[in-house]
């Protein structure tokens, strides 16, 4: 309509600010013809020549150009004067401004509003004065009578947009979504009062939320519980969310939250037995087998089946350490796995719900990463319902200005145009309304939505903390402030919904149930369908060297390669990719040695043909960072892609291969969550360079390496971390092998460094076929992807298995060997070439392909081949304080005869993993090899 405005004349009553009024009317007409006055409907209908759908704007421009030249004609049409049109336009802008900025003056802070109203919320800002207050104006799309006095229009707008709910949604670009929200916020039918029974139930929920905190405080004085007090409305939100989701077809809900209010949610929502919780406080609770270390009670997860009017809803509360928001992508990954398992149409049957703290939601980058994944192909879960427990203080922040740089703690959600409802936690009925609205929005549009529960924290960060030390004024207000439950009980007393005796009886009955250790939530329904243990039972108490057969027949290899060579018609490959595909045809025929890309793709293809599923994500995994994989092919004629692994056979498993967004923590968290939910899918995350996993260290430390010992959660996640020193500098050389080895204990993870194509083939297949589920960390190669010596044969794939140790490959006289060099990774080929060149007959070289769990028995057997061995050398590319030396040399000492000397050959200790100069790198690498093969080890 901008061309229309250019045609307006300065003298027209449609010019300038009045043109906005006409524009708004026309937009309203296009969205809903009945929302505008009948006379305007007639005019727009004439412009459309009776057609109901949108037409080219040129007739509209022409029509209004004529009107612009004849203000008298317009006045005749509508009975307006030029002045009245200006006034009506001002009213239209005021209505719109309430929708845009009404949330800023909403009465939604239980402790009182602290920000002044913006000047442009005043009618006088638009030229509207007191005499206009009783003038009738068109209300446009505002629900109610089509014409109302301005006073009533403003009163209605304040009720809708400035009461207990501040609705922030006009930033949404999609007109359909925006209009949908306007209709539901402004419709009296949708904002009608709750029934008396519903109000009594709401009071009961608040009684429960307050009651468990008082019970724990009195029974376990001084113990940390991270109380929900001040934010008790969270319990009604979750209860309503579960019931509404169930009524709209949801079968599962996965929740993620930090520690505040967690115990309250466990007991009052998920139905955890209070008796069990009390045993945890008393220290008499028996941990689940496998949870060797356990965790504090406010980090623990839980699952149950809760009764709803539409049937049972399976609830899962994810285990979460104290890294607060880090649970966000983990929950999303678990939800995606459940949706994939449920099949087509499951996007609305499994719902993710994330509960945040205000300071954490604004402060932690993982929130942005998770939001950014929400609408991507590989990571979407059909919209997440976010609930922010906004206690307005965060951790120890003494001023909100120190907690964030934004107006609201939820402003990060605007990046994905999520609607945000800032609701007063002391108005439980408003809380119920926004919960219903949030669920309906999520189920309708499959996009994220945020409920900002504005409340407060009655106690300190923990129960022993004194918050008034840093927040004296806030806590003077809080200590005088009645609890949410008390305020609502008084409200219902005035309304005659409950009596004082009934309200008191609710409190007493709840405390009696707690004293008896009875479940106090909605009824919990046994349902073995969702049992975690039933899925994972076969993987319990298994050892890493469990037998499994990973070899594949030659016919199957050739069948898979043939199917992967079949492309759609008119699919033109890039010349380099075409050469790769041609080479793979030769490899399958036995005419060329096998390279890494061929073997890796064959691992995936053969697993899929055995009806297993694979999921591979990371930055540029379709092609491969080092252009070796080419699992996703790109048509050079158009932008279409083709993934051969998805088209092997009609009965194959599911193949998911997605290039991820530029995120490490968010994506790795997602894949961890996915892998803990689907034991029979090979879930792989690949770092662009192994070094980049640094950005996801919290996931590695708190979940991947320790999730089993803390929470009893098994996980088969595979991490491919490109590693190797090729002179590419500090951030492109080391996957920080030492960090993973430092985390190794209790056979919690597997750390491998395969050096041949057949090794990665068998290793990947072993990870899924073997009845053993532990995370697998692979130091994967870069230069070895095309190294002339790092090749395999078809026979290596059709026979054999993954070898934790690969012994000497050349023919040597074992009796003449006095020096045994053990290494891991690509340095092997450097050692091999120099040993062959110099014809060193007294030196044997072996490769440690599985660094942890250390294959002690195999190591001893390899050493035993050399009866005259005098010296054992561990050789590594990494600096001495890095790599495997410090974390593995005790394995060497413990498994070697006492007479054999153990020495180190490698770079000196360094603060940086690698040098920046390629020339210096070459010199260092030569010194490492010389030291290992000839003489005094470096670093002495």
């Amino acid at each position: 309509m901008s061309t229309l405005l250019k045609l307006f004349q300065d003298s027209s009553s449609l010019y300038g600010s009045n043109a906005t009024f006409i524009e708004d009317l026309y937009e309203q007409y296009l969205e809903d013809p009945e929302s505008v006055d009948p006379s305007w409907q007639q005019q727009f209908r004439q412009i459309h020549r009776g057609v109901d759908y949108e037409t080219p704007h040129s007739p509209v421009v022409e029509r209004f150009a004529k009107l612009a030249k004849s203000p008298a004609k317009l006045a005749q049409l509508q009975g307006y004067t030029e002045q009245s049109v200006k006034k009506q336009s001002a009213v239209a802008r005021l209505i719109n401004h309430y929708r845009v900025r009404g949330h800023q003056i909403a009465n939604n802070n239980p402790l009182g509003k602290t920000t002044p109203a913006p000047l442009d919320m005043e009618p006088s800002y638009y030229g509207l004065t007191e005499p206009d207050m009783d003038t009738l104006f068109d209300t446009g799309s505002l629900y109610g009578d089509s014409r109302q006095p301005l006073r009533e229009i403003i009163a209605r707008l304040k009720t809708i947009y400035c009461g207990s709910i501040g609705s922030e949604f006009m930033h949404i670009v999609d007109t359909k979504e925006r209009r949908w929200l306007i209709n539901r916020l402004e419709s009296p039918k949708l904002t009608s009062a709750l029934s008396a029974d519903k109000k009594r139930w709401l009071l009961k929920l608040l009684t429960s939320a307050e009651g468990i905190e008082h019970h724990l405080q009195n029974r376990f004085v001084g113990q940390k519980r991270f109380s929900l007090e001040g934010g008790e409305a969270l319990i009604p939100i979750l209860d309503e969310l579960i019931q509404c989701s169930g009524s709209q077809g949801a079968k599962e809900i996965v929740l993620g939250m930090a520690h505040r209010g967690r115990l309250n949610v466990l007991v009052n929502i998920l139905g955890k037995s209070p008796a069990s919780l009390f045993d945890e406080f008393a220290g008499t609770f028996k941990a689940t087998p496998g949870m060797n270390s356990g965790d504090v009670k406010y980090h623990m997860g839980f699952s149950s089946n809760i009764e709803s009017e539409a049937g049972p809803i399976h609830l899962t509360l994810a285990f979460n350490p104290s890294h607060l928001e880090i649970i966000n992508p983990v929950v999303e990954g678990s939800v995606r796995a459940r949706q994939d398992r449920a099949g087509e149409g499951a996007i609305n049957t499994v719902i993710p719900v994330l509960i945040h703290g205000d300071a954490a939601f604004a402060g932690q980058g993982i929130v942005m990463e998770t939001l950014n994944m929400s609408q991507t192909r590989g990571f979407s879960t059909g919209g997440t319902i976010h609930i922010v427990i906004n206690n307005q203080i965060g951790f120890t922040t003494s001023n909100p200005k120190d907690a964030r740089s934004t107006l609201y703690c939820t402003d990060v959600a605007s990046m994905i145009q999520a609607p945000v409802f800032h609701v007063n936690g002391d108005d439980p009925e408003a809380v119920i309304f926004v919960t219903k609205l949030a669920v309906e929005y999520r189920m309708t549009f499959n996009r994220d939505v945020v409920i900002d529960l504005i409340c407060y924290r009655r106690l300190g960060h923990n129960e022993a903390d004194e918050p008034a030390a840093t927040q004296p004024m806030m806590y003077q207000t809080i200590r005088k402030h009645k609890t949410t439950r008390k305020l609502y009980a008084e409200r219902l007393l005035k309304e005659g919904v409950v009596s004082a005796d009934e309200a008191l009886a609710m409190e007493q009955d709840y405390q009696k149930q707690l004293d008896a250790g009875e479940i106090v939530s909605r009824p919990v329904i046994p349902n073995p369908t969702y049992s975690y243990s039933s899925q994972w039972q076969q993987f319990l108490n298994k050892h890493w060297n469990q037998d499994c057969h990973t070899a594949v027949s030659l016919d199957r290899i050739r069948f898979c390669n043939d199917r992967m060579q079949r492309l759609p018609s008119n699919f033109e490959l890039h010349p380099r990719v075409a050469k790769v595909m041609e080479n793979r045809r030769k490899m399958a025929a036995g005419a060329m040695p096998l390279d890494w890309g061929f073997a890796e793709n064959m691992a995936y293809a053969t697993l899929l043909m055995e009806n297993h599923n694979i999921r591979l994500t990371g930055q540029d995994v379709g092609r491969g960072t080092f252009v070796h994989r080419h699992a996703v092919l790109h048509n050079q004629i158009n932008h279409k892609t083709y993934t051969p692994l998805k088209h092997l056979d009609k009965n194959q498993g599911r193949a998911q291969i997605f290039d991820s967004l530029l995120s490490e923590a968010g994506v790795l968290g997602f894949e961890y969550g996915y892998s803990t939910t689907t034991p029979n899918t090979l879930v792989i995350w690949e770092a662009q360079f192994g070094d980049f996993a640094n950005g996801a260290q919290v996931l590695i430390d708190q979940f991947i390496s320790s999730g089993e010992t803390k929470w009893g959660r098994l996980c088969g996640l595979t991490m491919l971390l490109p590693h190797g020193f090729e002179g590419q500098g500090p951030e492109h050389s080391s996957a920080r092998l030492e960090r993973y080895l430092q985390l190794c204990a209790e056979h919690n993870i597997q750390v491998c460094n395969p050096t041949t194509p057949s090794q990665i083939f068998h290793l990947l297949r072993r990870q899924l076929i073997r009845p053993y589920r532990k995370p697998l960390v692979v130091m994967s190669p870069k230069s070895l992807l095309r190294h002339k010596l790092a090749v395999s044969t078809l026979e290596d794939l059709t026979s054999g298995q993954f070898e934790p140790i690969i012994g000497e490959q050349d023919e040597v006289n074992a009796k003449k060997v006095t020096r045994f060099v053990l290494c891991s990774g690509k340095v092997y080929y450097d050692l091999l070439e120099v040993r062959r060149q110099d014809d060193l007959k007294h030196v044997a070289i072996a490769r440690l392909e599985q660094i942890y769990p250390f294959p002690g028995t195999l190591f001893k057997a390899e050493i035993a081949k050399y009866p005259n061995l005098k010296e054992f050398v561990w050789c590594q590319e990494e600096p001495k304080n890095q790599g495997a030396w410090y974390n593995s040399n005790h394995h060497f000492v413990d498994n070697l005869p006492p007479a054999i000397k153990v020495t180190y050959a490698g770079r000196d200790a360094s603060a940086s993993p690698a040098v920046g100069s390629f020339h210096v790198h070459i010199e260092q690498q030569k010194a490492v090899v010389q030291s290992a093969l000839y003489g005094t080890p470096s670093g002495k």
Side-chain angles (χ1 to χ4, degrees), residues 168-169 172 177 180-181 241 351-354 356 361 371 374-375 382-388 410 413 416-421 434-443 445-452:
E168 192 180 2
F169 65 94
I172 297 174
E177 289 183 40
W180 185 92
L181 287 165
L241 188 154
I351 313 296
V353 176
L354 295 176
H356 314 270
F361 195 67
L371 290 170
S374 65
Q375 293 297 313
T384 299
I385 300 174
H386 301 267
I387 304 166
V388 179
T410 56
I416 58 167
Q417 298 177 46
V420 181
F421 303 106
V434 298
T435 302
K436 290 179 179 177
L437 183 60
V439 172
E440 189 180 358
Y441 175 86
R442 187 272 174 199
M443 301 298 264
F445 298 104
N446 293 127
R447 298 183 66 88
D448 289 38
V449 58
V450 181
I451 299 172
D452 179 18

Side-chain angles (χ1 to χ4, degrees), residues 332-353:
E332 300 294 343
S334 179
V335 168
R336 177 64 177 257
R338 293 164 196 264
Q339 291 173 344
D340 287 345
R341 184 171 61 201
E344 189 175 351
I347 198 168
N348 280 348
T349 62
V350 188
I351 313 296
V353 176

Side-chain angles (χ1 to χ4, degrees), residues 540-572:
L540 298 176
N541 303 315
K542 296 293 194 302
H543 199 264
W544 72 264
N545 57 9
Q546 184 85 22
D547 288 336
C548 69
H549 182 73
T550 57
V552 177
S553 71
L554 182 59
D555 287 345
R556 177 56 61 87
I557 294 288
R558 287 176 170 163
F559 171 86
C560 289
N561 186 69
D562 176 68
R563 290 300 173 93
M564 293 181 72
Q565 297 282 347
R566 297 183 182 183
L567 305 180
S569 59
N570 299 318
F571 198 97
E572 183 176 315

Side-chain angles (χ1 to χ4, degrees), residues 303 660 872:
S303 64
S660 75
F872 172 88

Side-chain angles (χ1 to χ4, degrees), residues 179-192:
R179 180 59 58 184
W180 185 92
L181 287 165
I182 288 173
N183 290 344
R184 275 151 182 78
L185 287 166
E186 297 179 3
S187 173
K189 295 179 182 178
L190 298 174
T191 56
S192 56

Side-chain angles (χ1 to χ4, degrees), residues 87-364:
K87 291 285 188 179
Q88 180 64 66
S89 178
V91 171
R93 296 201 310 278
L94 180 61
I95 291 173
N96 188 65
H97 222 66
Y98 266 92
R99 290 167 177 160
V100 174
R101 299 189 67 179
H103 56 85
Q104 290 181 242
I105 58 172
N107 183 28
N108 53 10
N109 189 340
L111 303 182
K113 204 68 177 178
T114 57
T115 55
L119 294 176
D120 50 2
M121 294 300 292
E122 295 296 330
S124 59
Y125 184 84
Y126 303 93
L128 297 168
T129 60
E130 181 59 31
D132 296 316
M133 290 297 168
D134 296 314
T135 302
L136 290 175
F137 290 97
D138 286 341
T139 57
S141 61
L142 184 66
Y143 267 72
D145 295 338
S146 60
R147 290 174 65 81
Q148 292 181 8
L150 179 57
R151 194 182 308 279
E152 292 181 16
I153 291 174
I154 293 175
R156 176 146 178 75
L157 289 169
K158 285 185 176 180
T159 299
I160 296 168
Y161 292 110
C162 307
S164 293
I165 305 166
S167 301
E168 192 180 2
F169 65 94
M170 290 296 282
H171 58 284
I172 297 174
V173 172
D174 188 274
T175 302
K176 184 178 179 182
E177 289 183 40
R178 199 170 61 247
R179 180 59 58 184
W180 185 92
L181 287 165
I182 288 173
N183 290 344
R184 275 151 182 78
L185 287 166
E186 297 179 3
S187 173
K189 295 179 182 178
L190 298 174
T191 56
S192 56
L194 302 178
S195 68
D197 286 343
K198 183 72 173 182
K199 291 181 178 183
R200 281 189 286 270
W201 173 251
L202 190 46
L203 180 60
K204 184 177 179 181
L205 291 172
L206 292 171
T207 301
S208 301
E210 186 178 284
I212 185 64
E213 301 293 355
H214 289 177
H215 190 95
L216 292 174
Q217 175 65 23
N218 294 332
R219 189 165 177 174
F220 303 102
V221 178
Q223 289 204 36
K224 288 184 181 180
R225 66 180 192 276
F226 295 101
S227 164
L228 185 62
E229 290 170 85
E232 291 92 344
L234 175 67
I235 299 305
I237 287 180
L238 292 176
D239 182 79
E240 188 67 25
L241 188 154
I242 292 164
Q243 298 303 310
C244 289
S245 298
S247 67
Q248 297 201 39
K251 303 299 180 185
E252 293 187 68
I253 296 175
V254 183
L255 299 102
M257 68 181 299
H259 43 271
R260 183 155 313 283
R262 193 180 188 90
L263 302 182
N264 208 312
V265 170
L266 281 167
V267 170
N268 287 318
I269 296 297
L270 281 97
K272 180 171 182 173
S273 164
S276 296
L277 179 63
F278 300 155
D279 286 345
E280 291 175 19
F281 269 96
T284 58
F285 181 76
K286 293 183 179 179
T288 302
M291 292 169 53
N292 296 335
S293 72
D295 203 347
V296 292
K297 47 195 166 291
Y298 38 80
H299 291 173
M300 302 302 286
F302 197 76
S303 64
S304 59
N305 302 289
I306 296 296
E307 185 181 78
S308 81
E309 294 180 2
I313 301 287
H314 183 70
L315 303 180
T316 299
L317 177 62
F319 295 82
N320 189 24
S322 279
H323 284 277
L324 306 176
E325 302 293 330
I326 200 68
I327 195 61
N328 295 356
V330 176
V331 165
E332 300 294 343
S334 179
V335 168
R336 177 64 177 257
R338 293 164 196 264
Q339 291 173 344
D340 287 345
R341 184 171 61 201
E344 189 175 351
I347 198 168
N348 280 348
T349 62
V350 188
I351 313 296
V353 176
L354 295 176
I355 304 170
H356 314 270
D358 52 324
F361 195 67
Q364 299 194 356

